[in-house]
Amino acid sequence: MAPIGFVKRSSSDEYERDRSLVSRIVFKNKFAKGLDGIEEWSHIYVIFWMDKILDKEKMLVHPGGGKNMGIFATRAPIHPNPIGLTLVELVKREQNVLWVRGLDAIDDTPVLDIKPYPDWEEGHWIVVTDFRAPQWLMEINK
Amino acid sequence: MAPIGFVKRSSSDEYERDRSLVSRIVFKNKFAKGLDGIEEWSHIYVIFWMDKILDKEKMLVHPGGGKNMGIFATRAPIHPNPIGLTLVELVKREQNVLWVRGLDAIDDTPVLDIKPYPDWEEGHWIVVTDFRAPQWLMEINK
């Protein structure tokens, strides 16, 4: 496992959770060819390595309101493998650089992989709009 | 980076690309607590390591019809880091085991992380239904 590229923000002070911001993913030159045709997708998944996350032992967190939730049931970044996964809008590509909107990763974050969105199987897209989420979060997000 | 668990299929002969099949993810016992509350989600992302993929140098593939496409613009599993990402339906949890429908990973695949679906920000879900994909694939999947 080695980075295929790095996130570059216009400033290291940028608030990375502002999803309206555009950041770049600068791929290693040897992977540029692998991006051919990516422009035809409007959205991609970015899989990155949150190398600043140090707490990998905690199993419970308390989002919203006091209730114990397992780390895997939340978006807490403290996972045993601190892998980030974000669905972003692809704005443009130039050679080995992608401009993306909505990537909540800090400056210089190593990128491990990208994938087109959405997945598909046997002639149909896998886009899930009918989902169930925890009640406390449904209340916030409805 | 170490597996948090492994995919277990009812038989190693099962066709892993049949998305109607239910398989299990058996987590290491020390991570069981981290699954608390996961039952409240209907869908999760599974991030896994395709440890049988050996070709990591190829940058172009030819899906559908002969056109050169970069590996990152397709769902080809031959990526520099052979990370799998699949959105699955969560059927049930028992302690350290999740039953999921639609996981296209072979028996004994190492699992690196899971995340709830969908992501959210500031009071709304990030569910993208208005997307653009390559023309040849739009034709197949429309």
Side-chain angles (χ1 to χ4, degrees), chain A residues 2 13 15 29-30 33 44 48 55 67 95 118 122 141:
Chain A
D13 293 338
Y15 182 49
N29 281 320
K30 66 177 173 179
K33 201 77 190 149
I44 59 172
F48 51 99
D55 188 351
K67 196 179 159 200
Q95 283 91 44
E122 292 173 9
N141 283 359

Side-chain angles (χ1 to χ4, degrees), chain A residues 1-4 15 17-20 27 30-45 47 49-50 56 59-60 67-76 79-87 90 104 111-138 140-142, chain B residues 1-4 15 17-20 27 30-45 47 49-50 56 59-60 67-76 79-87 90 104 111-138 140-142:
Chain A
M1 186 86 80
I4 57 173
Y15 182 49
R17 299 192 63 181
D18 180 344
R19 306 277 187 132
S20 71
F27 289 76
K30 66 177 173 179
F31 299 132
K33 201 77 190 149
L35 296 172
D36 285 0
I38 193 90
E39 311 86 326
E40 296 181 63
W41 295 92
S42 61
H43 291 77
I44 59 172
Y45 287 113
I47 300 172
W49 185 251
M50 295 181 286
K56 297 167 188 176
M59 286 294 122
L60 295 173
K67 196 179 159 200
N68 275 342
M69 298 280 290
I71 49 163
F72 297 117
T74 73
R75 280 261 164 186
H79 278 201
N81 294 314
I83 295 174
L85 169 66
T86 304
L87 178 57
L90 179 56
D104 52 348
V111 173
L112 300 177
D113 200 8
I114 64 167
K115 310 226 178 254
Y117 171 89
D119 196 2
W120 65 91
E121 58 162 334
E122 292 173 9
H124 74 269
W125 302 107
I126 301 178
V127 176
V128 175
T129 55
D130 186 19
F131 57 87
R132 193 182 71 248
Q135 199 55 43
W136 60 270
L137 199 50
M138 291 298 263
I140 295 171
N141 283 359
K142 77 180 172 189
Chain B
M1 186 87 83
I4 57 173
Y15 182 50
R17 300 191 64 180
D18 179 344
R19 306 276 188 133
S20 71
F27 289 76
K30 64 178 174 179
F31 299 132
K33 201 77 190 152
L35 296 171
D36 286 0
I38 193 87
E39 310 87 325
E40 295 182 63
W41 295 92
S42 62
H43 291 78
I44 59 172
Y45 287 113
I47 299 172
W49 185 251
M50 296 181 286
K56 298 168 188 174
M59 285 294 122
L60 295 172
K67 196 179 161 199
N68 275 343
M69 299 281 289
I71 50 163
F72 297 119
T74 73
R75 280 262 164 185
H79 278 203
N81 293 314
I83 295 173
L85 169 65
T86 304
L87 178 57
L90 178 57
D104 52 348
V111 173
L112 300 176
D113 201 8
I114 65 168
K115 310 226 179 257
Y117 170 89
D119 197 3
W120 64 91
E121 58 163 332
E122 291 172 10
H124 74 269
W125 302 107
I126 301 179
V127 175
V128 175
T129 55
D130 186 18
F131 58 87
R132 194 182 70 248
Q135 199 55 44
W136 61 269
L137 198 50
M138 291 297 263
I140 295 170
N141 282 0
K142 78 183 172 187

